[in-house]
Structures are given as structure tokens and as C-alpha cells.
Amino acid sequence: MSAASPVLVEETEDRVVLRLNRPEVRNAIDADTVAALHAVCALLEERPRVALLVGEGGNFAAGADIAQLRERRREDALRGINSSIFDRVRRLPMPVIGLLDGYALGGGAELAYACDFRIGTSAVRIGNPEPGLGILAAAGASWRLAELVGEPVAKEVLLAGRILSAEEALAVHLLTEVVEPDQLVAAGHRLADRIAKQAPLAVRLTKSVFHAPREAHPLIDDVAQAVLFETEDKQRRMTAFLERKSTKEKS
């Protein structure tokens, strides 16, 4: 992707850094951003890796592009333009780490909710002001936020326009950590390093099992475990564990 792309992509062997790249409009999510995110998802579905998602210019994403949103009609809503891409982000094979600074509002907040982890700075402001614009948060917030923070807080955000500060978001576990702005990406990489130490297929299958519907358990757990029991990675890691344990007992 070119430097003018709405999403910049930096690839390494075990992770991909994605940068929302419309700082002049606080990274508002427009149709081009949605298309770029679909392209990135295709990349990560073909070759699964941890993804770090950050906004350029001191903001994560200040919402959907209101100029475009104002012109959308019934058929556009039924297409699920934003909800489909955020759901695709949520379903990526490996974890996604949202790195939030400044505004994460409206569609930007819903993109953050779709991440598996969220790390923020003290400047973060998270919320869903959609009802103030005559619409609802229809790209995941209306149900995903309650799963993340509980019904009372979710209703304050969705129905009463409450904007969460970094401290408030940390207190309700919407953020896992709050760091200084110049440490945000480094904090994301530290978390990615911890994930990268795990067996990649075990992480993938654990994420899939975690998000499976209740009625799929325990069968899906048993099938996933059956797959992992046959891998060379499991044999190697367990053998190394037993050898380390034996060495410690002899010393």
C-alpha cells in the first residue's frame, strides 16, 4: 500500500502493524478505509499473524466519516458497510491489539471493541455519540460493548452519551493498560511478544474456541484439542518442559 493509503501496513515475520492514515480528519473511517481494512484482513486470513492497530496523528479514529454517513440510506445500512468489516476484524485468526490515543468515538470505538486487546494513553476518550446524530451504534457497539464492560456502563455510553476517559476505561477493563503516548506502540509490541511465545496454532484455536457459541461446547474444545495433540509443536514444547523440570530436580 502507498503512503497515501488510508491504512498503512508494516509486516514482519510474526506480526503486522496497521496504521489508520487519515490524520487530517482524525482518522475518520470512510469507504476507502473500509476497503483498505478488507484488503488487510484478506492478508491476515491468508497468513495469520498478530495485528497491531494504531491511528496516525494522535487519534485512533474519531468515528465514521459524517459527510459520507449523512448521505447513506436504508440500502446502505442493510449492506452493513462498517459492521461487516468490524466483524471480519473480530474473526481474524490471530489476536488483534488496538492501540488507542486521543479520540476513539463512534465507528472508531466500534473498531476498538472488535479488537481482542486495547491499550491506551491518558488522552484516550472512548464513546458512542451516534444517538446525538439521529442514528444508533449499529456496527457492534449495541451488543459487543455490554459483553466487554457490562450492561450499566454500556447503557450510559450508548443511551446517555457518556464518554469514557482512559482511567474510566481501565477501571471497567475496556483498556488493559494505560501508557504514555510515546510508549503506546512499544506497549503493543510487548503484548505481541508475549503472544508470540505461545504455540501459534494453539493461540488460533483458543481464539476460535473462545468465541464459539455456548452450544458448540464441549465438542469444539475436544476437536481443537485433538488437532493440537497431533502437532510437532506440542511434542517439542512438552518435551522441553519435562527436560527443564528434570534438570531442576537433579540440581
Side-chain angles (χ1 to χ4, degrees), residues 133-153:
L133 296 170
I135 59 175
L136 63 86
S142 61
W143 54 274
R144 190 171 281 141
L145 184 58
E147 293 181 350
L148 293 170
V149 304
E151 183 178 322
V153 174

PDB file of all heavy atoms in Angstrom, residues 133-153:
ATOM      1  N   LEU A 133     -26.630  12.102  16.813  1.00  0.00           N
ATOM      2  CA  LEU A 133     -26.665  12.392  15.380  1.00  0.00           C
ATOM      3  C   LEU A 133     -27.889  11.755  14.710  1.00  0.00           C
ATOM      4  O   LEU A 133     -27.999  11.741  13.490  1.00  0.00           O
ATOM      5  CB  LEU A 133     -25.384  11.878  14.702  1.00  0.00           C
ATOM      6  CG  LEU A 133     -24.088  12.562  15.156  1.00  0.00           C
ATOM      7  CD1 LEU A 133     -22.876  11.820  14.601  1.00  0.00           C
ATOM      8  CD2 LEU A 133     -24.065  14.017  14.729  1.00  0.00           C
ATOM      9  N   GLY A 134     -28.787  11.217  15.526  1.00  0.00           N
ATOM     10  CA  GLY A 134     -30.013  10.656  14.982  1.00  0.00           C
ATOM     11  C   GLY A 134     -29.912   9.229  14.498  1.00  0.00           C
ATOM     12  O   GLY A 134     -30.810   8.751  13.798  1.00  0.00           O
ATOM     13  N   ILE A 135     -28.843   8.513  14.877  1.00  0.00           N
ATOM     14  CA  ILE A 135     -28.679   7.118  14.464  1.00  0.00           C
ATOM     15  C   ILE A 135     -28.275   6.302  15.688  1.00  0.00           C
ATOM     16  O   ILE A 135     -28.179   6.837  16.794  1.00  0.00           O
ATOM     17  CB  ILE A 135     -27.629   6.960  13.336  1.00  0.00           C
ATOM     18  CG1 ILE A 135     -26.264   7.500  13.791  1.00  0.00           C
ATOM     19  CG2 ILE A 135     -28.102   7.680  12.073  1.00  0.00           C
ATOM     20  CD1 ILE A 135     -25.145   7.269  12.790  1.00  0.00           C
ATOM     21  N   LEU A 136     -28.022   5.009  15.486  1.00  0.00           N
ATOM     22  CA  LEU A 136     -27.528   4.188  16.582  1.00  0.00           C
ATOM     23  C   LEU A 136     -26.167   3.609  16.229  1.00  0.00           C
ATOM     24  O   LEU A 136     -25.750   3.626  15.065  1.00  0.00           O
ATOM     25  CB  LEU A 136     -28.519   3.076  16.939  1.00  0.00           C
ATOM     26  CG  LEU A 136     -28.848   1.990  15.903  1.00  0.00           C
ATOM     27  CD1 LEU A 136     -27.851   0.851  15.942  1.00  0.00           C
ATOM     28  CD2 LEU A 136     -30.251   1.444  16.139  1.00  0.00           C
ATOM     29  N   ALA A 137     -25.490   3.108  17.249  1.00  0.00           N
ATOM     30  CA  ALA A 137     -24.189   2.470  17.043  1.00  0.00           C
ATOM     31  C   ALA A 137     -24.436   1.057  16.538  1.00  0.00           C
ATOM     32  O   ALA A 137     -24.563   0.118  17.325  1.00  0.00           O
ATOM     33  CB  ALA A 137     -23.393   2.471  18.339  1.00  0.00           C
ATOM     34  N   ALA A 138     -24.520   0.910  15.238  1.00  0.00           N
ATOM     35  CA  ALA A 138     -25.000  -0.334  14.627  1.00  0.00           C
ATOM     36  C   ALA A 138     -23.894  -1.233  14.107  1.00  0.00           C
ATOM     37  O   ALA A 138     -24.173  -2.217  13.424  1.00  0.00           O
ATOM     38  CB  ALA A 138     -25.957  -0.004  13.476  1.00  0.00           C
ATOM     39  N   ALA A 139     -22.635  -0.905  14.409  1.00  0.00           N
ATOM     40  CA  ALA A 139     -21.525  -1.713  13.895  1.00  0.00           C
ATOM     41  C   ALA A 139     -20.864  -2.522  15.002  1.00  0.00           C
ATOM     42  O   ALA A 139     -19.659  -2.748  14.981  1.00  0.00           O
ATOM     43  CB  ALA A 139     -20.504  -0.824  13.185  1.00  0.00           C
ATOM     44  N   GLY A 140     -21.675  -2.947  15.970  1.00  0.00           N
ATOM     45  CA  GLY A 140     -21.178  -3.842  17.011  1.00  0.00           C
ATOM     46  C   GLY A 140     -21.335  -3.335  18.427  1.00  0.00           C
ATOM     47  O   GLY A 140     -21.433  -4.126  19.358  1.00  0.00           O
ATOM     48  N   ALA A 141     -21.346  -2.010  18.624  1.00  0.00           N
ATOM     49  CA  ALA A 141     -21.370  -1.470  19.983  1.00  0.00           C
ATOM     50  C   ALA A 141     -22.639  -1.840  20.732  1.00  0.00           C
ATOM     51  O   ALA A 141     -22.608  -2.056  21.952  1.00  0.00           O
ATOM     52  CB  ALA A 141     -21.214   0.047  19.953  1.00  0.00           C
ATOM     53  N   SER A 142     -23.775  -1.922  20.026  1.00  0.00           N
ATOM     54  CA  SER A 142     -25.052  -2.137  20.704  1.00  0.00           C
ATOM     55  C   SER A 142     -25.113  -3.478  21.422  1.00  0.00           C
ATOM     56  O   SER A 142     -25.938  -3.662  22.308  1.00  0.00           O
ATOM     57  CB  SER A 142     -26.208  -2.022  19.702  1.00  0.00           C
ATOM     58  OG  SER A 142     -26.078  -2.997  18.688  1.00  0.00           O
ATOM     59  N   TRP A 143     -24.236  -4.411  21.082  1.00  0.00           N
ATOM     60  CA  TRP A 143     -24.192  -5.692  21.794  1.00  0.00           C
ATOM     61  C   TRP A 143     -22.794  -6.037  22.279  1.00  0.00           C
ATOM     62  O   TRP A 143     -22.619  -6.622  23.344  1.00  0.00           O
ATOM     63  CB  TRP A 143     -24.729  -6.819  20.904  1.00  0.00           C
ATOM     64  CG  TRP A 143     -24.050  -6.922  19.574  1.00  0.00           C
ATOM     65  CD1 TRP A 143     -24.354  -6.251  18.427  1.00  0.00           C
ATOM     66  CD2 TRP A 143     -22.924  -7.741  19.242  1.00  0.00           C
ATOM     67  NE1 TRP A 143     -23.497  -6.596  17.403  1.00  0.00           N
ATOM     68  CE2 TRP A 143     -22.611  -7.514  17.876  1.00  0.00           C
ATOM     69  CE3 TRP A 143     -22.166  -8.655  19.965  1.00  0.00           C
ATOM     70  CZ2 TRP A 143     -21.561  -8.161  17.221  1.00  0.00           C
ATOM     71  CZ3 TRP A 143     -21.112  -9.303  19.310  1.00  0.00           C
ATOM     72  CH2 TRP A 143     -20.832  -9.059  17.955  1.00  0.00           C
ATOM     73  N   ARG A 144     -21.763  -5.634  21.558  1.00  0.00           N
ATOM     74  CA  ARG A 144     -20.393  -6.003  21.942  1.00  0.00           C
ATOM     75  C   ARG A 144     -19.929  -5.243  23.181  1.00  0.00           C
ATOM     76  O   ARG A 144     -19.217  -5.789  24.034  1.00  0.00           O
ATOM     77  CB  ARG A 144     -19.451  -5.749  20.760  1.00  0.00           C
ATOM     78  CG  ARG A 144     -18.054  -6.314  20.943  1.00  0.00           C
ATOM     79  CD  ARG A 144     -17.266  -6.220  19.653  1.00  0.00           C
ATOM     80  NE  ARG A 144     -17.629  -7.280  18.728  1.00  0.00           N
ATOM     81  CZ  ARG A 144     -17.747  -7.131  17.415  1.00  0.00           C
ATOM     82  NH1 ARG A 144     -17.578  -5.947  16.865  1.00  0.00           N
ATOM     83  NH2 ARG A 144     -18.071  -8.148  16.648  1.00  0.00           N
ATOM     84  N   LEU A 145     -20.344  -3.979  23.329  1.00  0.00           N
ATOM     85  CA  LEU A 145     -19.870  -3.189  24.458  1.00  0.00           C
ATOM     86  C   LEU A 145     -20.356  -3.761  25.783  1.00  0.00           C
ATOM     87  O   LEU A 145     -19.614  -3.791  26.767  1.00  0.00           O
ATOM     88  CB  LEU A 145     -20.305  -1.727  24.311  1.00  0.00           C
ATOM     89  CG  LEU A 145     -19.785  -0.772  25.381  1.00  0.00           C
ATOM     90  CD1 LEU A 145     -18.265  -0.777  25.443  1.00  0.00           C
ATOM     91  CD2 LEU A 145     -20.296   0.647  25.121  1.00  0.00           C
ATOM     92  N   ALA A 146     -21.603  -4.229  25.836  1.00  0.00           N
ATOM     93  CA  ALA A 146     -22.116  -4.830  27.067  1.00  0.00           C
ATOM     94  C   ALA A 146     -21.322  -6.083  27.440  1.00  0.00           C
ATOM     95  O   ALA A 146     -21.094  -6.355  28.625  1.00  0.00           O
ATOM     96  CB  ALA A 146     -23.588  -5.169  26.918  1.00  0.00           C
ATOM     97  N   GLU A 147     -20.887  -6.846  26.437  1.00  0.00           N
ATOM     98  CA  GLU A 147     -20.064  -8.027  26.717  1.00  0.00           C
ATOM     99  C   GLU A 147     -18.725  -7.629  27.326  1.00  0.00           C
ATOM    100  O   GLU A 147     -18.171  -8.354  28.145  1.00  0.00           O
ATOM    101  CB  GLU A 147     -19.825  -8.819  25.438  1.00  0.00           C
ATOM    102  CG  GLU A 147     -21.076  -9.476  24.859  1.00  0.00           C
ATOM    103  CD  GLU A 147     -20.781 -10.264  23.602  1.00  0.00           C
ATOM    104  OE1 GLU A 147     -19.647 -10.135  23.071  1.00  0.00           O
ATOM    105  OE2 GLU A 147     -21.658 -11.016  23.145  1.00  0.00           O
ATOM    106  N   LEU A 148     -18.223  -6.459  26.949  1.00  0.00           N
ATOM    107  CA  LEU A 148     -16.908  -6.018  27.407  1.00  0.00           C
ATOM    108  C   LEU A 148     -16.945  -5.352  28.775  1.00  0.00           C
ATOM    109  O   LEU A 148     -16.057  -5.569  29.600  1.00  0.00           O
ATOM    110  CB  LEU A 148     -16.299  -5.050  26.380  1.00  0.00           C
ATOM    111  CG  LEU A 148     -15.930  -5.640  25.022  1.00  0.00           C
ATOM    112  CD1 LEU A 148     -15.579  -4.537  24.046  1.00  0.00           C
ATOM    113  CD2 LEU A 148     -14.766  -6.615  25.167  1.00  0.00           C
ATOM    114  N   VAL A 149     -17.959  -4.507  29.026  1.00  0.00           N
ATOM    115  CA  VAL A 149     -17.947  -3.688  30.244  1.00  0.00           C
ATOM    116  C   VAL A 149     -19.160  -3.886  31.131  1.00  0.00           C
ATOM    117  O   VAL A 149     -19.234  -3.307  32.216  1.00  0.00           O
ATOM    118  CB  VAL A 149     -17.800  -2.189  29.898  1.00  0.00           C
ATOM    119  CG1 VAL A 149     -16.554  -1.941  29.071  1.00  0.00           C
ATOM    120  CG2 VAL A 149     -19.038  -1.665  29.158  1.00  0.00           C
ATOM    121  N   GLY A 150     -20.137  -4.665  30.693  1.00  0.00           N
ATOM    122  CA  GLY A 150     -21.356  -4.856  31.462  1.00  0.00           C
ATOM    123  C   GLY A 150     -22.458  -3.902  31.037  1.00  0.00           C
ATOM    124  O   GLY A 150     -22.210  -2.851  30.455  1.00  0.00           O
ATOM    125  N   GLU A 151     -23.688  -4.285  31.337  1.00  0.00           N
ATOM    126  CA  GLU A 151     -24.848  -3.535  30.870  1.00  0.00           C
ATOM    127  C   GLU A 151     -24.935  -2.106  31.405  1.00  0.00           C
ATOM    128  O   GLU A 151     -25.208  -1.183  30.626  1.00  0.00           O
ATOM    129  CB  GLU A 151     -26.120  -4.307  31.213  1.00  0.00           C
ATOM    130  CG  GLU A 151     -27.395  -3.643  30.710  1.00  0.00           C
ATOM    131  CD  GLU A 151     -28.627  -4.461  31.015  1.00  0.00           C
ATOM    132  OE1 GLU A 151     -28.545  -5.704  30.922  1.00  0.00           O
ATOM    133  OE2 GLU A 151     -29.671  -3.863  31.337  1.00  0.00           O
ATOM    134  N   PRO A 152     -24.724  -1.853  32.699  1.00  0.00           N
ATOM    135  CA  PRO A 152     -24.910  -0.481  33.198  1.00  0.00           C
ATOM    136  C   PRO A 152     -24.003   0.547  32.514  1.00  0.00           C
ATOM    137  O   PRO A 152     -24.475   1.608  32.083  1.00  0.00           O
ATOM    138  CB  PRO A 152     -24.602  -0.600  34.690  1.00  0.00           C
ATOM    139  CG  PRO A 152     -24.920  -2.014  35.024  1.00  0.00           C
ATOM    140  CD  PRO A 152     -24.483  -2.792  33.813  1.00  0.00           C
ATOM    141  N   VAL A 153     -22.715   0.240  32.406  1.00  0.00           N
ATOM    142  CA  VAL A 153     -21.790   1.177  31.759  1.00  0.00           C
ATOM    143  C   VAL A 153     -22.107   1.289  30.277  1.00  0.00           C
ATOM    144  O   VAL A 153     -22.103   2.387  29.707  1.00  0.00           O
ATOM    145  CB  VAL A 153     -20.326   0.742  31.975  1.00  0.00           C
ATOM    146  CG1 VAL A 153     -19.375   1.649  31.179  1.00  0.00           C
ATOM    147  CG2 VAL A 153     -19.961   0.785  33.450  1.00  0.00           C
TER     148      VAL A 153
END
